[in-house]
PDB file of all heavy atoms in Angstrom:
ATOM      1  N   TYR A  76     -16.348  -3.424   7.447  1.00  0.00           N
ATOM      2  CA  TYR A  76     -17.312  -3.213   6.361  1.00  0.00           C
ATOM      3  C   TYR A  76     -17.235  -4.399   5.403  1.00  0.00           C
ATOM      4  O   TYR A  76     -16.184  -4.837   5.019  1.00  0.00           O
ATOM      5  CB  TYR A  76     -16.916  -1.929   5.577  1.00  0.00           C
ATOM      6  CG  TYR A  76     -17.088  -0.671   6.343  1.00  0.00           C
ATOM      7  CD1 TYR A  76     -16.070  -0.044   7.019  1.00  0.00           C
ATOM      8  CD2 TYR A  76     -18.332  -0.035   6.490  1.00  0.00           C
ATOM      9  CE1 TYR A  76     -16.220   1.054   7.884  1.00  0.00           C
ATOM     10  CE2 TYR A  76     -18.561   1.185   7.315  1.00  0.00           C
ATOM     11  CZ  TYR A  76     -17.403   1.610   7.850  1.00  0.00           C
ATOM     12  OH  TYR A  76     -17.517   2.822   8.671  1.00  0.00           O
ATOM     13  N   THR A  77     -18.504  -4.841   4.999  1.00  0.00           N
ATOM     14  CA  THR A  77     -18.604  -5.923   3.823  1.00  0.00           C
ATOM     15  C   THR A  77     -19.493  -5.362   2.962  1.00  0.00           C
ATOM     16  O   THR A  77     -20.560  -4.794   3.095  1.00  0.00           O
ATOM     17  CB  THR A  77     -19.205  -7.091   4.503  1.00  0.00           C
ATOM     18  OG1 THR A  77     -18.342  -7.583   5.701  1.00  0.00           O
ATOM     19  CG2 THR A  77     -19.226  -8.290   3.531  1.00  0.00           C
ATOM     20  N   ALA A  78     -19.021  -5.540   1.549  1.00  0.00           N
ATOM     21  CA  ALA A  78     -19.886  -5.138   0.404  1.00  0.00           C
ATOM     22  C   ALA A  78     -20.962  -6.141   0.175  1.00  0.00           C
ATOM     23  O   ALA A  78     -20.745  -7.397   0.218  1.00  0.00           O
ATOM     24  CB  ALA A  78     -19.075  -4.853  -0.777  1.00  0.00           C
ATOM     25  N   THR A  79     -22.146  -5.641  -0.169  1.00  0.00           N
ATOM     26  CA  THR A  79     -23.055  -6.610  -0.623  1.00  0.00           C
ATOM     27  C   THR A  79     -23.541  -6.086  -2.099  1.00  0.00           C
ATOM     28  O   THR A  79     -23.382  -5.002  -2.398  1.00  0.00           O
ATOM     29  CB  THR A  79     -24.360  -6.542   0.312  1.00  0.00           C
ATOM     30  OG1 THR A  79     -24.843  -5.237   0.364  1.00  0.00           O
ATOM     31  CG2 THR A  79     -23.925  -6.982   1.802  1.00  0.00           C
ATOM     32  N   GLY A  80     -24.209  -7.007  -2.654  1.00  0.00           N
ATOM     33  CA  GLY A  80     -24.691  -6.545  -4.026  1.00  0.00           C
ATOM     34  C   GLY A  80     -24.546  -7.739  -4.956  1.00  0.00           C
ATOM     35  O   GLY A  80     -24.198  -8.759  -4.617  1.00  0.00           O
ATOM     36  N   PRO A  81     -24.752  -7.463  -6.271  1.00  0.00           N
ATOM     37  CA  PRO A  81     -24.918  -8.598  -7.273  1.00  0.00           C
ATOM     38  C   PRO A  81     -23.646  -9.309  -7.516  1.00  0.00           C
ATOM     39  O   PRO A  81     -23.712 -10.377  -8.029  1.00  0.00           O
ATOM     40  CB  PRO A  81     -25.508  -7.872  -8.553  1.00  0.00           C
ATOM     41  CG  PRO A  81     -25.215  -6.529  -8.255  1.00  0.00           C
ATOM     42  CD  PRO A  81     -25.143  -6.143  -6.939  1.00  0.00           C
ATOM     43  N   PHE A  82     -22.472  -8.760  -7.142  1.00  0.00           N
ATOM     44  CA  PHE A  82     -21.244  -9.454  -7.462  1.00  0.00           C
ATOM     45  C   PHE A  82     -20.699 -10.265  -6.251  1.00  0.00           C
ATOM     46  O   PHE A  82     -19.671 -10.832  -6.346  1.00  0.00           O
ATOM     47  CB  PHE A  82     -20.125  -8.410  -7.724  1.00  0.00           C
ATOM     48  CG  PHE A  82     -20.117  -8.143  -9.298  1.00  0.00           C
ATOM     49  CD1 PHE A  82     -21.114  -8.203 -10.185  1.00  0.00           C
ATOM     50  CD2 PHE A  82     -18.899  -7.531  -9.648  1.00  0.00           C
ATOM     51  CE1 PHE A  82     -21.070  -7.956 -11.314  1.00  0.00           C
ATOM     52  CE2 PHE A  82     -18.914  -7.037 -11.120  1.00  0.00           C
ATOM     53  CZ  PHE A  82     -19.865  -7.323 -11.863  1.00  0.00           C
ATOM     54  N   PHE A  83     -21.283 -10.225  -5.104  1.00  0.00           N
ATOM     55  CA  PHE A  83     -20.777 -10.694  -3.879  1.00  0.00           C
ATOM     56  C   PHE A  83     -21.531 -12.061  -3.415  1.00  0.00           C
ATOM     57  O   PHE A  83     -22.892 -12.042  -3.396  1.00  0.00           O
ATOM     58  CB  PHE A  83     -20.845  -9.656  -2.811  1.00  0.00           C
ATOM     59  CG  PHE A  83     -20.079  -8.412  -3.259  1.00  0.00           C
ATOM     60  CD1 PHE A  83     -20.765  -7.327  -3.802  1.00  0.00           C
ATOM     61  CD2 PHE A  83     -18.694  -8.425  -3.254  1.00  0.00           C
ATOM     62  CE1 PHE A  83     -19.922  -6.157  -4.167  1.00  0.00           C
ATOM     63  CE2 PHE A  83     -17.908  -7.285  -3.768  1.00  0.00           C
ATOM     64  CZ  PHE A  83     -18.657  -6.135  -4.163  1.00  0.00           C
ATOM     65  N   ASP A  84     -20.906 -12.939  -2.987  1.00  0.00           N
ATOM     66  CA  ASP A  84     -21.482 -14.226  -2.460  1.00  0.00           C
ATOM     67  C   ASP A  84     -22.101 -13.977  -1.273  1.00  0.00           C
ATOM     68  O   ASP A  84     -21.386 -13.652  -0.240  1.00  0.00           O
ATOM     69  CB  ASP A  84     -20.300 -15.144  -2.432  1.00  0.00           C
ATOM     70  CG  ASP A  84     -20.696 -16.637  -1.869  1.00  0.00           C
ATOM     71  OD1 ASP A  84     -21.879 -16.725  -1.467  1.00  0.00           O
ATOM     72  OD2 ASP A  84     -19.885 -17.559  -2.048  1.00  0.00           O
ATOM     73  N   PRO A  85     -23.360 -14.207  -1.030  1.00  0.00           N
ATOM     74  CA  PRO A  85     -24.062 -14.024   0.299  1.00  0.00           C
ATOM     75  C   PRO A  85     -23.510 -14.908   1.369  1.00  0.00           C
ATOM     76  O   PRO A  85     -23.486 -14.536   2.518  1.00  0.00           O
ATOM     77  CB  PRO A  85     -25.489 -14.377  -0.025  1.00  0.00           C
ATOM     78  CG  PRO A  85     -25.699 -14.603  -1.445  1.00  0.00           C
ATOM     79  CD  PRO A  85     -24.255 -14.604  -2.049  1.00  0.00           C
ATOM     80  N   ASP A  86     -22.971 -16.050   0.981  1.00  0.00           N
ATOM     81  CA  ASP A  86     -22.377 -16.894   2.081  1.00  0.00           C
ATOM     82  C   ASP A  86     -21.178 -16.196   2.721  1.00  0.00           C
ATOM     83  O   ASP A  86     -20.949 -16.294   3.854  1.00  0.00           O
ATOM     84  CB  ASP A  86     -21.961 -18.209   1.506  1.00  0.00           C
ATOM     85  CG  ASP A  86     -23.210 -19.113   1.215  1.00  0.00           C
ATOM     86  OD1 ASP A  86     -24.295 -18.828   1.710  1.00  0.00           O
ATOM     87  OD2 ASP A  86     -23.004 -20.047   0.336  1.00  0.00           O
ATOM     88  N   GLU A  87     -20.287 -15.729   1.808  1.00  0.00           N
ATOM     89  CA  GLU A  87     -19.163 -14.974   2.388  1.00  0.00           C
ATOM     90  C   GLU A  87     -19.536 -13.737   3.178  1.00  0.00           C
ATOM     91  O   GLU A  87     -18.958 -13.466   4.183  1.00  0.00           O
ATOM     92  CB  GLU A  87     -18.112 -14.645   1.289  1.00  0.00           C
ATOM     93  CG  GLU A  87     -17.455 -15.814   0.722  1.00  0.00           C
ATOM     94  CD  GLU A  87     -16.235 -15.387  -0.097  1.00  0.00           C
ATOM     95  OE1 GLU A  87     -15.942 -14.269  -0.278  1.00  0.00           O
ATOM     96  OE2 GLU A  87     -15.549 -16.426  -0.615  1.00  0.00           O
TER      97      GLU A  87
END
Side-chain angles (χ1 to χ4, degrees):
Y76 292 97
T77 302
T79 63
F82 273 21
F83 303 99
D84 181 349
D86 290 339
E87 286 195 359

